[in-house]
Amino acid sequence: MKSLVFVLAGLTCLFGQSMGLSEKGWILDDSCKTSKDPRKENLIAQMADSAFEMANLAHDELEKQLSGKQKDVDIQNALKWMFLPDNKGPKDIVLPEFDKLRSTLQNVTELSKRLPDTTSRWKNPNVVIIYCTLDRFKKRKNGDWSDKAAKLVIPDADYQACFPQTPNAKKGVAWTNVQYNHPEHASHLQLCPWWVDLIMEAKYVTFKDLPKKALLGPAEWERKMKQAGWNGVPIDTVGLFDRTFLHELTHTRYAGETFDNAYKWKPCRDLAKKDIPGIDEKSAQRNADSIAFAGLAIRLNKYRQRPLRVLEDGMFEIK
Ligand SMILES: *[C@@H]1O[C@H](CO)[C@@H](O)[C@H](O)[C@H]1NC(C)=O
C-alpha cells in the first residue's frame, strides 16, 4: 500500500513539472461535461471563446485610442462612460492612466487558450479552472465547505449563493476564487448549476446569438425586458452570458484580481463619475463590471452586422 502511495506521489510530481508556469489558459472541469449531452461542454466553451473575443477586441480598440492612431469618438465615449467623470474626455484616455485596464484586458486575452486537464492543474497561478457544479465540496464542522483536492475552503455564504433558500433571496450566477492562501495555485471560476441550466435552455447565450431585431428598437427591447422583470437599462439586458463570463475572468489572479464595487451599467457610470484618484481598489478600472461593460459597449460599436452607438444612459442607437 505504502509503495503505491509513493508511486502516485511520484507521478503527480512528474505531471507537475510537465505543465510549465509559462502555460496560461483555462481548463474545463469534468463537472462541465456530460457524456450523454455534449451540448453542455460546447456551450460553455462557446461562451468562454466569446468572452475572450470581447476582451481581445476591447484591448485592440483601447490600444488604438491610446496610441492616437485610429481615434474613434464612439469608442472614446464608451471608455468615458465606464472610466471617466464628466469633466474628462478623449484627451484623458492616455497612459499611464489607462495602464491597469490595458493590462487586465491584455491578460484576459492571454488566458484564451484551452488547456488539457491534467493532475497538476492546481499548481499554476496563470490558469483558471471552470466548474459547473459544487459537487466537489464537502461540508466541514464549522460550516465552511472544503474542496480537498484543490486545498480550497469557501465560506457557507459563497456555497449558498448558488442555492438560495428562499425564492426572493439574491441568486448568484457565478463567482471566482483566487486562493489567497495559496498564491502558487490556479484561480477557480465557479458557474452556479442553476445558471448553467439556464444557459442550456436559453435562446441567446452570447452576443452573436442576438437577433438583429432585438437590437433594432431599444425602447421596445427595454419594454419587453421590464415586462420580464428586468430593472436595468438596455445595455444591461443585452449583456448576455459572455459578458458575465468576462466579468469573472477579470477576477482571476492572472488578470489582476479585480473588485466588485458596482454592478450594472448605471452604478458603473456613477462609479466612474466619482473620479477616484489613482488606481486603487475602488477605482473603476479595478471594477469587474466596469471592464466587462466597456468590453460589451466596444463590441456593440464594432458589431459588423449592425453597429450600435452606446449612449451614456445605457441606451443605444443605430450608427
Ligand atoms: C498581467 O500579467 C503580467 C505578467 O505577465 C503581470 O506582470 C501584470 O501585473 C498582470 N496585470 C494585472 C492587471 O494584474
Side-chain angles (χ1 to χ4, degrees):
M1 196 59 209
K2 252 208 172 112
S3 67
L4 184 64
V5 173
F6 244 107
V7 169
L8 285 175
L11 271 177
T12 315
C13 249
L14 261 172
F15 282 124
Q17 278 159 4
S18 73
M19 188 184 205
L21 280 192
S22 55
E23 196 89 87
K24 302 176 190 82
W26 57 283
I27 290 169
L28 200 63
D29 179 66
D30 281 345
S31 61
C32 297
K33 302 168 191 167
T34 43
S35 48
K36 276 177 261 135
D37 188 356
R39 247 180 3 121
K40 190 171 182 175
E41 181 176 348
N42 291 343
L43 267 178
I44 304 288
Q46 187 192 330
M47 177 170 79
D49 286 342
S50 180
F52 288 118
E53 244 176 62
M54 190 160 16
N56 197 10
L57 177 70
H59 180 258
D60 286 354
E61 292 302 323
L62 174 63
E63 288 286 22
K64 284 181 201 163
Q65 305 319 304
L66 290 173
S67 70
K69 277 194 189 125
Q70 261 177 277
K71 294 224 164 154
D72 178 326
V73 74
D74 291 325
I75 301 292
Q76 287 172 338
N77 273 333
L79 291 166
K80 175 181 160 97
W81 308 147
M82 284 300 98
F83 304 109
L84 294 175
D86 289 338
N87 59 350
K88 290 194 172 168
K91 65 172 182 358
D92 300 294
I93 302 174
V94 288
L95 288 173
E97 281 75 10
F98 272 75
D99 189 40
K100 211 67 181 182
L101 176 68
R102 183 170 76 157
S103 179
T104 292
L105 289 172
Q106 157 103 33
N107 287 15
V108 168
T109 305
E110 285 179 20
L111 286 173
S112 68
K113 190 172 155 203
R114 181 169 174 187
L115 302 172
D117 202 348
T118 65
T119 49
S120 67
R121 63 184 192 172
W122 323 105
K123 296 174 197 144
N124 184 338
N126 304 333
V127 158
V128 48
I129 309 172
I130 297 162
Y131 297 91
C132 293
T133 71
L134 290 89
D135 294 351
R136 65 195 184 284
F137 287 106
K138 296 273 171 295
K139 193 160 189 152
R140 298 167 108 203
K141 283 209 187 83
N142 67 356
D144 290 345
W145 294 80
S146 137
D147 169 358
K148 259 201 168 150
K151 295 201 180 78
L152 175 67
V153 175
I154 59 165
D156 191 43
D158 282 7
Y159 187 91
Q160 300 301 343
C162 280
F163 306 101
Q165 300 298 306
T166 57
N168 292 329
K170 206 167 175 263
K171 237 180 182 182
V173 298
W175 48 256
T176 301
N177 186 300
V178 296
Q179 285 205 293
Y180 294 111
N181 300 334
H182 297 280
E184 73 285 9
H185 277 200
S187 302
H188 299 243
L189 200 166
Q190 177 72 55
L191 305 176
C192 290
W194 74 269
W195 196 57
V196 175
D197 290 344
L198 188 74
I199 298 171
M200 295 282 287
E201 287 159 20
K203 212 160 144 197
Y204 313 133
V205 177
T206 77
F207 182 77
K208 282 184 194 142
D209 304 331
L210 277 180
K212 286 183 192 161
K213 246 196 184 145
L215 294 168
L216 233 179
E220 173 69 1
W221 178 248
E222 192 185 12
R223 192 179 61 76
K224 280 212 173 117
M225 293 318 256
K226 286 225 165 98
Q227 268 173 9
W230 278 80
N231 56 355
V233 296
I235 195 166
D236 290 319
T237 61
V238 299
L240 301 168
F241 300 99
D242 46 356
R243 194 198 69 79
T244 304
F245 203 79
L246 175 55
H247 169 122
E248 293 305 326
L249 286 168
T250 70
H251 283 320
T252 59
R253 195 187 305 277
Y254 190 68
E257 303 175 25
T258 57
F259 298 90
D260 283 320
N261 291 314
Y263 291 100
K264 293 199 172 183
W265 179 267
K266 174 83 173 44
C268 285
R269 175 69 194 120
D270 292 342
L271 179 66
K273 281 185 175 181
K274 283 189 195 150
D275 197 19
I276 294 158
I279 300 173
D280 73 359
E281 62 180 74
K282 295 223 168 55
S283 70
Q285 279 184 62
R286 299 284 288 136
N287 185 50
D289 236 26
S290 304
I291 300 171
F293 270 118
L296 178 63
I298 289 171
R299 197 181 221 184
L300 287 167
N301 266 292
K302 290 283 160 187
Y303 185 36
R304 228 176 264 127
Q305 281 86 343
R306 187 173 295 276
L308 293 167
R309 180 176 297 115
V310 177
L311 308 178
E312 183 171 6
D313 58 5
M315 301 278 271
F316 14 80
E317 58 185 29
I318 296 161
K319 290 214 219 182

